[in-house]
Amino acid sequence: MAINLEINSSGKSGVALQASPVWNDESRLVEQWARVRARLQAEVGEVEYRTWLKQVSFAGLAGDEAVVLLPTRFLRDWVNKEYGELIAAFWQQENAAVRRVEFRTGAPAARAAAPDLAEPPPTAAPATVPQQRPESLAALDQRFTFETFVVGKPNEFAYACARRVAEAPATAGFNPLFLYGGVGLGKTHLMHAIAWELSTNARGGRPVSVAYMSAEKFMYRFINALRSQSTLEFKNELRSVDVLMIDDLQFLIGKDNTQEEFFHTFNALVDAGKQIVISADKSPSDLSGLEDRLRTRLGCGMVADLHATTFELRYSILEAKAQRAGVEVPPKVLEFLARKITSNNRELEGALNRLVAHANLFNRQITLDTAHEVLHDVLKAHDRKISIQEIQKRVCEHYNIRVAEMSSARRARNIARPRQVAMYLAKQLTSKSLPDIGRHFGDRDHTTVMHAVSRISELIGQDAAFAEDVELLKRLLEN
Ligand code: ADP
Ligand code: MG
């Protein structure tokens, strides 16, 4: 295929952008690409998207071809084979000039990083099929059932609570059920499991109506209702369900009107003896930026925490998933993955999926060697440990202060705030303890660090521009 490769001004190889009058606008292409990605994500679901498509970058338009890049040959071939048509179709809908998509191996050029910023932030709702009505089950992932949930020490309590609610909704003491824990630990899985159980095993004749949505979706629908002056219908619709589930409640922080609306819906439902299930990344008491009266009500049912995974749980999850997929994965490989990929179950699952796909594609057995080969990018990311020094350096660069100020005694706001940001990031991005972190900041006490962490969390909830700043720093450090 004749693609005109040339060296662009930054010295990186890139694909020449077509100088056609309408489509030569690069930022426009970048926007279109961002929309293509968002649609892909919505189409294939979050796990698949993260496993395969997240790494696709856009290099440019060459003639009537959109050129996209993947980091390895294996990924290039796989994505081409499995998603080529879909990507081409979405591109074509965005831009009639695109007739084909060309898959190449390569790293994104500097400017191609732009689509990543346009990518829906990790706050996006689980990308299951968009739902039309809250009681519709279209938003539920078929695979997220109690049967497929692997129980271990870190999640047994949350699992038991979820089971209990699915068996007997609105039992005193379990309403609301508040599930919390870090990313990828199974909150959404458990919520969907409850919804499936309730809607498929209707007891006593009348089917139980369940509304499940992410907090973002809730907000989106509420805003739309305001706009189209149909808030009454929105309210009635929500208040007519037996079970209301809101996933990732932390996204309501700082959205005062939506929070207010949610609070009223919440009260109306609880008063009417309906069940509420909520998930969030933190416990009610740690969700700063939430109105106090809402926080109080959220905490007065059952609060269950999903802890970070353990080696044993990760191993069991891998074993169960491999078995379900009907593939043989040697125990050594399972052990290797369970030891290496410790962040969360979503990444674990993604890694296994990739391994299985590779084995199928090349008709090869899964071995430690193939695992190393296929997952080297994932493994590399996990090997990388961010140091407190790195964090301090980045933060100082960002705020234009000297690194020495991180340990100094100065308390002027323009110094103290960046210092707090650095402490916050150290807590988030490293596994260091609070006293340990304090030592890196001029021997400060662990309570100072604790205060910094909560102050910054609070500010993130209140100030969108500040939140963006911190998020950016975090991304820079993670890459
Ligand atoms: P969260 O909502 O907490 O971010 P999810 O529920 O979306 O996490 O889980 C991420 C992925 O990991 C999903 O594919 C889910 O099925 C899987 N997963 C998480 N916990 C378990 C578990 N205990 N057993 C089986 N799969 C799990
Ligand atoms: Mg989730």
Side-chain angles (χ1 to χ4, degrees):
M1 220 154 284
I3 285 186
N4 184 15
L5 269 177
E6 54 174 44
I7 305 298
N8 64 24
S9 53
S10 68
K12 292 204 169 67
S13 70
V15 175
L17 284 172
Q18 191 77 354
S20 94
V22 187
W23 301 114
N24 64 348
D25 182 345
E26 193 174 331
S27 66
R28 191 133 160 209
L29 283 171
V30 168
E31 266 172 35
Q32 290 170 347
W33 170 236
R35 280 195 297 269
V36 170
R37 286 175 69 136
R39 290 186 62 187
L40 282 169
Q41 189 172 11
E43 179 75 25
V44 306
E46 193 171 356
V47 171
E48 236 178 275
Y49 179 82
R50 279 175 181 259
T51 313
W52 305 112
L53 298 168
K54 200 166 182 283
Q55 308 199 58
V56 184
S57 60
F58 173 57
L61 208 59
D64 57 1
E65 285 179 346
V67 179
V68 298
L69 302 175
L70 281 132
T72 65
R73 276 175 54 196
F74 161 63
L75 278 172
R76 180 198 66 192
D77 294 343
W78 180 262
V79 171
N80 186 359
K81 175 165 164 281
E82 294 294 314
Y83 305 100
E85 281 176 21
L86 197 61
I87 296 176
F90 286 161
W91 252 119
Q92 217 168 23
Q93 285 162 22
E94 283 297 330
N95 184 335
V98 175
R99 304 223 164 259
R100 273 184 304 253
V101 175
E102 162 86 356
F103 292 84
R104 315 180 130 238
T105 46
R111 70 173 162 73
D116 271 339
L117 297 177
E119 181 193 13
T123 61
T128 42
V129 185
Q131 60 193 118
Q132 298 307 314
R133 300 159 57 80
E135 61 271 38
S136 118
L137 297 175
L140 299 180
D141 192 315
Q142 303 250 3
R143 299 160 310 158
F144 291 179
T145 62
F146 283 124
E147 287 65 45
T148 57
F149 191 84
V150 179
V151 186
K153 270 252 168 305
N155 60 26
E156 61 188 6
F157 182 63
Y159 172 83
C161 294
R163 270 279 187 200
R164 178 69 192 271
V165 165
E167 261 158 40
T171 307
F174 287 84
N175 198 15
L177 171 61
F178 190 102
L179 300 170
Y180 77 93
V183 176
L185 297 182
K187 302 180 295 292
T188 299
H189 190 136
L190 278 181
M191 289 180 102
H192 288 204
I194 297 173
W196 282 124
E197 187 77 11
L198 283 170
S199 47
T200 49
N201 295 348
R203 271 159 288 259
R206 198 173 79 83
V208 179
S209 66
V210 181
Y212 164 88
M213 67 185 92
S214 65
E216 277 199 316
K217 183 88 184 180
F218 180 89
M219 181 173 76
Y220 171 78
R221 296 205 48 203
F222 175 57
I223 291 169
N224 267 350
L226 283 177
R227 225 177 258 148
S228 60
Q229 299 183 326
S230 57
T231 43
L232 197 65
E233 281 132 51
F234 177 64
K235 281 181 199 189
N236 288 340
E237 191 181 314
L238 283 181
R239 287 171 200 189
S240 68
V241 301
D242 299 310
V243 180
L244 175 66
M245 301 188 167
I246 303 287
D247 205 351
D248 288 324
L249 188 82
Q250 67 272 16
F251 295 128
L252 289 195
I253 283 173
K255 320 284 182 343
D256 293 347
N257 289 337
T258 313
Q259 233 183 78
E260 176 90 17
E261 180 57 32
F262 173 69
F263 180 69
H264 292 308
T265 308
F266 181 99
N267 286 337
L269 284 169
V270 172
D271 290 347
K274 310 293 180 62
Q275 174 77 43
I276 311 257
V277 184
I278 304 289
S279 86
D281 63 349
K282 298 197 192 68
S283 72
S285 51
D286 287 340
L287 275 177
S288 53
L290 215 57
E291 259 189 77
D292 278 342
R293 51 181 192 166
L294 180 54
R295 186 203 314 279
T296 310
R297 290 223 68 171
L298 286 173
C300 61
M302 181 58 70
V303 177
D305 159 348
L306 288 129
H307 298 274
T309 57
T310 56
F311 170 73
E312 288 75 18
L313 179 60
R314 292 194 293 275
Y315 191 94
S316 316
I317 289 179
L318 286 169
E319 210 177 14
K321 300 229 181 221
Q323 201 180 14
R324 204 163 272 276
V327 284
E328 217 166 305
V329 184
K332 274 242 164 310
V333 175
L334 295 180
E335 185 185 334
F336 172 70
L337 294 181
R339 290 218 184 281
K340 282 287 188 179
I341 303 179
T342 53
S343 51
N344 65 57
N345 300 335
R346 184 175 294 146
E347 281 203 43
L348 200 60
E349 189 177 0
L352 182 69
N353 286 348
R354 218 204 256 188
L355 213 52
V356 169
H358 182 271
N360 286 340
L361 186 68
F362 296 109
N363 209 359
R364 271 165 68 183
Q365 286 196 326
I366 297 173
T367 63
L368 263 185
D369 279 347
T370 56
H372 272 287
E373 184 187 319
V374 176
L375 301 172
H376 86 267
D377 53 334
V378 181
L379 298 171
K380 211 168 82 196
H382 277 268
D383 278 344
R384 186 173 140 61
K385 296 240 183 325
I386 302 171
S387 70
I388 295 183
Q389 285 84 354
E390 252 176 288
I391 294 174
Q392 293 180 328
K393 188 163 159 281
R394 268 276 179 207
V395 170
C396 290
E397 273 165 18
H398 183 81
Y399 289 101
N400 210 5
I401 59 175
R402 291 180 311 123
V403 176
E405 302 288 14
M406 290 282 123
S407 315
S408 78
R410 286 179 60 192
R411 299 176 65 172
R413 167 77 78 83
N414 65 332
I415 303 290
R417 186 52 45 79
R419 195 186 288 132
Q420 287 180 324
V421 169
M423 289 181 187
Y424 170 86
L425 289 171
K427 180 77 190 103
Q428 294 254 311
L429 302 177
T430 74
S431 51
K432 296 272 189 293
S433 66
L434 295 174
D436 239 10
I437 296 174
R439 273 192 282 281
H440 282 82
F441 289 84
D443 246 342
R444 285 180 159 80
D445 193 67
H446 76 275
T447 53
T448 309
V449 182
M450 211 152 71
H451 174 254
V453 172
S454 69
R455 181 74 190 117
I456 296 301
S457 313
E458 199 173 278
L459 283 172
I460 287 174
Q462 292 163 356
D463 180 344
F466 180 76
E468 218 164 74
D469 242 26
V470 176
E471 182 62 33
L472 182 71
L473 276 167
K474 204 163 137 192
R475 283 198 195 198
L476 286 172
L477 282 160
E478 277 169 343
N479 277 322

